[in-house]
Amino acid sequence: MYTALRLQSKLKQELRQGTVEVVVVDPEPYMTYQPFLPEAAAGSISPRHVVVPLRRVLPQCRVVIGEVTAIDHSERTATITTLAAEETGDGAVVVGYDELVLAPGSVSRTLPVPGLAEVGIGFKTVEEAIGLRNHVLEQLDIASSTRDPAVRDAALTFVFVGGGYAGVEALAELEDMARYAARYYHNIKPEDMKWILVEATGKILPEVGPEMGRYAVRELRGRNIDVRLDTRLDSCENRVAVLSDGSRFPNRTLVWTAGVKPHPILAATKLPLTPRGRLQCTAALQVDGVEHAWSAGDAAAVPDLTAEPAGPGEPRPECAPNAQHAVRQAKVLAENVAAAVRGGPIVDYAHKYSGSVASLGLHKGVAHVYGRKLKGYPAWFMHRAYHLSRVPTFNRKARVLAEWTLAGLFKREIVSLGSLENPRAEFELAAGTGRHNEAS
């Protein structure tokens, strides 16, 4: 989306004359600003404000809602399955192109843990974030209304696997929300809930540095969150999380955020890949050794020109697969594609990593930016300010800022809208063909 947005501006004249067409293909009609997912899950931001509608911000582009299932770069064609094709049975649509920008991002990396596929909850999309919020609030309702101590304990146990940004921020924001919501339940106290963070390495939030990572562990443990370092999830069958240290936790909530992997479409392109499955790219964001193919973001392995090689004869490190690089790469990529269309020179991408910020709940955070270390309220404020500056379009900036302002004036929303996930349940019940939803 960022690349198309820039191309729309750079190739304005060609688009107006009809000599150039920019086609954007995506399974969803919006782009998700993922750093805001934890706040959306906690109810600090409305879900519709963490997504950017493609058709509104890309009026000069042709937006196709569908999924690319195959790419034949030798023939310069992409095979797309659209919603209409699924309805009519007409089959996939084949679209030709001159320049290919392949930036499908990443998907959750799962491991062969028994029971994970059946009970695990991801945290990569806005739908998962809102579903998790509703699920957590439903568990409080279950615990409040049952007399079975085993059911109550399982409902109030929340296990998060993965100590990176997604896992820590999601856990911290949701624990903050659930602790606030508990005041409205006469028989649930915050100390009744068990929040467990499982991390296979010896540290969390490695991006903010060792010192701030240790502070984050102390902050979470100070809130009675059980942080298990150097620990793996061995099994979660029958809704019992079994850890490598021998601990067993019956639960009804297991959130899996233990890393990501490149999108599967990359393997179907016959383009050069790294051993980890990312597209091998040059510093100019071209697919290495392939003309007219470009990439950026999580899908691209781009050499970091600001980092020195580990040793003589060693290649440069790759740019980290994060939003900080992806957004900046998109602008350089658009400039290079426009130059390729017009016959101009292309430039290399170079950006020195400026640091990281992470939220640990309302008014709490950690940051390591330009060598300066911040914690608590200043870090939380920097986290919000940075991401507000990066979320695309003035429309979304204004809406997010307005919601933050209102949230500071009024109490938190603790409403669960779990029925949104099955909106026809009530009608089916009325028609005599269904039954009430059971709590998830």
Side-chain angles (χ1 to χ4, degrees):
M1 191 215 75
Y2 280 98
T3 303
L5 200 61
R6 188 78 167 178
L7 280 173
Q8 189 175 253
S9 173
K10 294 292 294 182
L11 300 176
K12 187 180 297 183
Q13 184 176 350
E14 289 88 341
L15 286 166
R16 189 181 300 116
Q17 294 172 347
T19 57
V20 164
E21 182 182 34
V22 179
V23 181
V24 179
V25 183
D26 197 273
E28 305 293 346
Y30 53 78
M31 190 278 288
T32 303
Y33 189 72
Q34 291 188 347
F36 277 157
L37 288 184
E39 293 210 39
S44 300
I45 303 176
S46 173
R48 65 184 183 278
H49 295 160
V50 304
V51 299
V52 182
L54 297 180
R55 297 187 190 279
R56 174 183 289 180
V57 300
L58 301 174
Q60 306 304 317
C61 301
R62 176 186 166 201
V63 177
V64 178
I65 305 305
E67 187 171 357
V68 175
T69 56
I71 294 174
D72 187 345
H73 193 62
S74 61
E75 296 293 329
R76 307 274 185 88
T77 60
T79 304
I80 306 169
T81 302
T82 65
L83 296 176
E86 293 176 1
E87 290 290 329
T88 60
D90 292 338
V93 178
V94 178
V95 176
Y97 61 83
D98 297 296
E99 303 288 338
L100 171 68
V101 174
L102 189 56
S106 56
V107 297
S108 294
R109 181 192 65 190
T110 58
L111 298 176
V113 176
L116 178 61
E118 289 74 30
V119 303
I121 303 172
F123 200 76
K124 284 272 305 167
T125 68
V126 68
E127 293 86 0
E128 287 174 329
I130 304 313
L132 182 56
R133 168 187 169 80
N134 292 331
H135 175 82
V136 168
L137 291 172
E138 283 175 0
Q139 300 316 302
L140 299 185
D141 290 329
I142 291 171
S144 175
S145 58
T146 184
R147 295 183 178 180
D148 187 326
V151 172
R152 175 186 167 87
D153 288 347
L156 294 179
T157 300
F158 307 92
V159 180
F160 285 69
V161 183
Y165 275 126
V168 172
E169 291 194 341
L171 181 149
E173 292 281 357
L174 285 165
E175 189 274 339
D176 223 5
M177 177 201 72
R179 184 158 29 85
Y180 178 88
R183 69 180 65 182
Y184 297 102
Y185 293 84
H186 71 280
N187 56 352
I188 295 180
K189 298 177 182 178
E191 51 267 29
D192 294 337
M193 294 183 279
K194 295 178 187 174
W195 294 82
I196 302 151
L197 177 64
V198 181
E199 168 55 38
T201 67
K203 57 187 177 181
I204 66 172
L205 297 175
E207 297 87 353
V208 299
E211 183 182 338
M212 290 295 96
R214 288 192 293 269
Y215 167 80
V217 171
R218 292 196 302 271
E219 166 69 23
L220 294 176
R221 285 174 173 167
R223 289 157 57 178
N224 204 31
I225 296 172
D226 187 355
V227 181
R228 304 278 179 122
L229 302 178
D230 295 310
T231 307
R232 299 180 312 277
L233 176 69
D234 285 345
S235 169
C236 50
E237 290 181 302
N238 302 318
R239 292 192 177 273
V240 177
V242 181
L243 307 185
S244 59
D245 61 5
S247 303
R248 297 170 61 89
F249 294 100
N251 70 90
R252 293 176 57 86
T253 308
L254 190 140
V255 183
W256 181 268
T257 60
V260 296
K261 62 181 180 181
H263 196 285
I265 185 60
L266 300 183
T269 62
K270 297 181 180 178
L271 295 173
L273 304 178
T274 67
R276 294 189 175 185
R278 300 167 74 192
L279 286 169
Q280 186 67 59
C281 293
T282 67
L285 304 173
Q286 274 187 305
V287 177
D288 199 9
V290 182
E291 294 184 345
H292 310 292
W294 313 78
S295 186
D298 287 7
V302 180
D304 187 352
L305 298 184
T306 65
E308 294 298 324
E314 294 289 325
R316 289 182 182 273
E318 298 171 357
C319 293
N322 57 33
Q324 185 177 145
H325 280 300
V327 171
R328 289 174 171 84
Q329 286 173 356
K331 293 181 180 179
V332 175
L333 175 52
E335 300 280 349
N336 285 345
V337 171
V341 170
R342 291 173 171 171
I346 63 175
V347 298
D348 289 341
Y349 168 78
H351 168 67
K352 188 171 179 61
Y353 192 63
S354 55
S356 300
V357 291
S359 169
L360 299 177
L362 192 62
H363 301 158
K364 298 174 283 289
V366 290
H368 189 184
V369 182
Y370 295 116
R372 299 192 63 182
K373 300 169 185 175
L374 300 172
K375 56 188 178 183
Y377 185 89
W380 171 82
F381 182 82
M382 179 175 285
H383 173 270
R384 282 200 161 182
Y386 173 78
H387 286 301
L388 183 66
S389 71
R390 293 300 171 186
V391 69
T393 78
F394 176 79
N395 178 295
R396 284 300 178 265
K397 286 180 171 65
R399 290 178 183 273
V400 168
L401 183 59
E403 287 203 305
W404 281 343
T405 303
L406 290 173
L409 298 174
F410 300 101
K411 296 180 179 180
R412 278 180 183 259
E413 289 287 351
I414 58 165
V415 177
S416 167
L417 298 177
S419 58
L420 286 175
E421 296 161 33
N422 190 7
R424 293 193 66 246
E426 286 296 327
F427 186 80
E428 290 174 351
L429 183 69
T433 61
R435 55 192 175 87
H436 278 297
N437 258 353
E438 293 180 356
S440 58

